[in-house]
Amino acid sequence: MTEQLELIYGKRQFTVSVDFNCRKQLTITVHPDCSISAIAPQGYELAAIRQRLERRRSWIARQISFFEQFQPAATERKYVSGETHHYLGRQYRLKISKGQTPKVRLVGRFFKVELPVTDDRGKAREVMQQWYTEHAKIYLTRQIENRWPLISDQGAQKPAVQFRRMKKRWGSCSNKGTITLNTELIKLPTYCIDYVIVHELCHMARADHDNIFYRNLGRILPDWEMRKDRLEKAASAITVTN
């Protein structure tokens, strides 16, 4: 049976899902989607669990803040000529013209979109998103392959990789060894993309954000803290396709 406990830290309130099984110690986990779970030994009193959670409030809040930095900022796009769109951290102007078949080309500093009906914003959004998704899969797959040898010597299994648009985070790593990358990453600067990829690959060797995890991260990206800071700033400026 799962219990729900409410935890307050400053002005924030967190919900913790508590399950019980045959184990000797209480474990508390903050997941990449910002959910919080605790697994306690059978017979463990809820009051004792709450006491332990209270002692770990600041740690939980730090973990939540960390994962929230991967959340892309979404704003509405109009898909009209002259509007700015991003690719690999650079700005490109949208130029819509008439054409028999909907298509997108990146030419110079422009996204050139051809549509049978030039003011069909829904179709413009659709073909732009398709272009982003296709290019994201190619680029992110190549970067995973380039970076994987730097963590493979830690005894980790090579991950399965999947791609999808996510509104709440840039990437995640499941306990089954699957890395999920947000296709909207393709809009970010390359050094931010690299940070997200390396971060998730390091989770293949170490699930928690402990000293070993950060040692691996620092070994591959000595400037990871700067990249993380730039990721947060870049994400606030780059819009997600609606």
Side-chain angles (χ1 to χ4, degrees):
M1 178 179 177
T2 301
E3 300 282 352
Q4 302 288 328
L5 291 178
E6 299 300 322
L7 188 66
I8 296 175
Y9 183 73
K11 296 182 179 180
R12 305 200 65 173
Q13 180 172 322
F14 307 119
T15 300
V16 183
S17 298
V18 182
D19 287 296
F20 300 86
N21 66 14
C22 298
R23 62 186 303 122
K24 294 182 179 180
Q25 294 181 327
L26 171 71
T27 60
I28 303 168
T29 305
V30 180
H31 302 277
D33 63 357
C34 294
S35 62
I36 310 165
S37 65
I39 302 177
Q42 293 285 0
Y44 213 91
E45 296 290 338
L46 282 177
I49 296 173
R50 178 178 293 280
Q51 189 176 41
R52 289 283 301 277
L53 289 170
E54 292 286 345
R55 290 204 298 264
R56 301 300 301 276
R57 287 183 306 169
S58 62
W59 175 83
I60 290 171
R62 287 198 305 272
Q63 297 301 307
I64 292 290
S65 296
F66 177 83
F67 286 125
E68 285 178 341
Q69 293 187 31
F70 292 88
Q71 296 180 1
T75 58
E76 185 179 357
R77 310 302 292 167
K78 296 181 179 179
Y79 295 93
V80 294
S81 290
E83 187 176 56
T84 298
H85 289 255
H86 292 81
Y87 175 62
L88 295 179
R90 295 185 176 182
Q91 296 184 8
Y92 297 86
R93 292 289 183 182
L94 188 62
K95 182 179 289 187
I96 299 177
S97 61
K98 191 173 182 61
Q100 291 185 344
T101 304
K103 63 181 178 180
V104 179
R105 293 178 298 140
L106 191 61
V107 181
R109 302 299 294 179
F110 292 92
F111 272 116
K112 293 190 175 182
V113 178
E114 294 184 13
L115 299 173
V117 180
T118 57
D119 60 353
D120 187 343
R121 297 183 184 181
K123 178 58 69 174
R125 179 173 62 247
E126 178 185 326
V127 296
M128 281 290 291
Q129 184 56 50
Q130 183 179 13
W131 188 95
Y132 274 127
T133 299
E134 291 172 353
H135 284 73
K137 289 179 178 180
I138 294 171
Y139 182 84
L140 298 176
T141 298
R142 184 169 66 244
Q143 295 307 105
I144 284 277
E145 291 296 326
N146 289 341
R147 284 301 193 174
W148 170 246
L150 299 177
I151 197 66
S152 61
D153 62 351
Q154 300 297 306
Q157 182 179 356
K158 190 173 184 179
V161 182
Q162 61 185 18
F163 307 94
R164 62 187 178 92
R165 291 180 65 221
M166 297 183 285
K167 292 184 178 181
K168 293 187 176 180
R169 58 186 186 271
W170 294 114
S172 66
C173 181
S174 74
N175 55 14
K176 295 182 180 180
T178 298
I179 287 177
T180 302
L181 295 175
N182 191 341
T183 53
E184 296 288 326
L185 277 168
I186 199 64
K187 299 177 181 180
L188 296 176
T190 55
Y191 53 81
C192 293
I193 298 173
D194 202 30
Y195 168 73
V196 174
I197 288 175
V198 173
H199 180 100
E200 300 307 335
L201 285 176
C202 285
H203 275 309
M204 297 302 299
R206 202 71 179 179
D208 298 325
H209 293 104
D210 56 13
N211 290 336
I212 296 176
F213 172 87
Y214 285 112
R215 186 161 63 243
N216 284 333
L217 184 60
R219 175 173 58 86
I220 300 171
L221 294 177
D223 62 344
W224 69 267
E225 291 179 288
M226 179 192 69
R227 291 175 186 245
K228 186 179 78 167
D229 181 64
R230 291 187 177 182
L231 171 67
E232 182 179 6
K233 292 176 181 177
S236 66
I238 293 177
T239 56
V240 174
T241 306
N242 294 314

